[in-house]
Amino acid sequence: MLNNFTKSKYYSFALLWLVVFIWGVSPVVVVYLSKYMSTTVLQFIMFFVAVIALTIINFKHLKEIDKNYLKCAVPTGAFIVIASLLQKIGILYTTPANYAFLENLSIIIVPFLVWILAKKKPNKLNAISIILCLAGAFILSKVSFTSFNLSIGDALCAIAGLLYGVNI
């Protein structure tokens, strides 16, 4: 018989695996769906489903939305919409692997924004993460110090990754 902590732990791991699965499969699904509908239509459907799902999940808390919440939510929401749109356009010109990897360039921008906004300098681990992320992005995109030939798809996905970091 499992206690509540163990059940919660298994439940959390199951949800984590579900998120990883969805995250891993989504680039392939986006490429497939892009053959049948435009990027903007696909984007609209995805955000519409997200709004419906989040409204259902948070229905009891909708009355807590006020002007201060909207002052933060609208600009960050705009960043994520633009990032997602750029990424969905970028995947048409790159591989699903590059699409998925380059969205993680948010790792680069988040420590700098924390430094600027919260006056908290990045630590050594942040610096190492930034360097490894940049190196991986350069290797994956086949960009070297002698030639800077980045495909339009990779560039759009990289910009989207940086905008995701601003959203974070």
Side-chain angles (χ1 to χ4, degrees), residues 30 34 38-40 42-43 82-94 99 152-154 156-157 160:
V30 168
S34 294
S38 72
T39 303
T40 50
L42 179 60
Q43 187 78 357
I82 294 167
S84 187
L85 189 58
L86 289 175
Q87 190 180 37
K88 300 304 179 287
I89 294 169
I91 197 169
L92 302 174
Y93 305 102
T94 190
Y99 163 97
I152 187 71
D154 289 345
L156 290 173
C157 289

Side-chain angles (χ1 to χ4, degrees), residues 79-148:
F79 278 112
I80 200 163
V81 167
I82 294 167
S84 187
L85 189 58
L86 289 175
Q87 190 180 37
K88 300 304 179 287
I89 294 169
I91 197 169
L92 302 174
Y93 305 102
T94 190
T95 64
N98 284 15
Y99 163 97
F101 183 80
L102 292 171
E103 77 180 349
N104 293 311
L105 286 177
S106 60
I107 294 168
I108 295 169
I109 199 80
V110 170
F112 289 115
L113 289 175
V114 169
W115 188 14
I116 292 167
L117 299 173
K119 308 290 188 241
K120 184 179 176 186
K121 276 184 142 180
N123 60 25
K124 289 179 184 178
L125 187 58
N126 291 131
I128 292 169
S129 298
I130 290 168
I131 291 167
L132 288 174
C133 186
L134 280 173
F138 284 143
I139 292 167
L140 187 67
S141 302
K142 297 177 183 91
V143 173
S144 68
F145 292 109
T146 56
S147 66
F148 192 79

Side-chain angles (χ1 to χ4, degrees), residues 27-44:
V28 177
V29 172
V30 168
V31 168
Y32 176 77
L33 292 176
S34 294
K35 295 176 185 174
Y36 301 102
M37 63 185 76
S38 72
T39 303
T40 50
V41 170
L42 179 60
Q43 187 78 357
F44 174 80

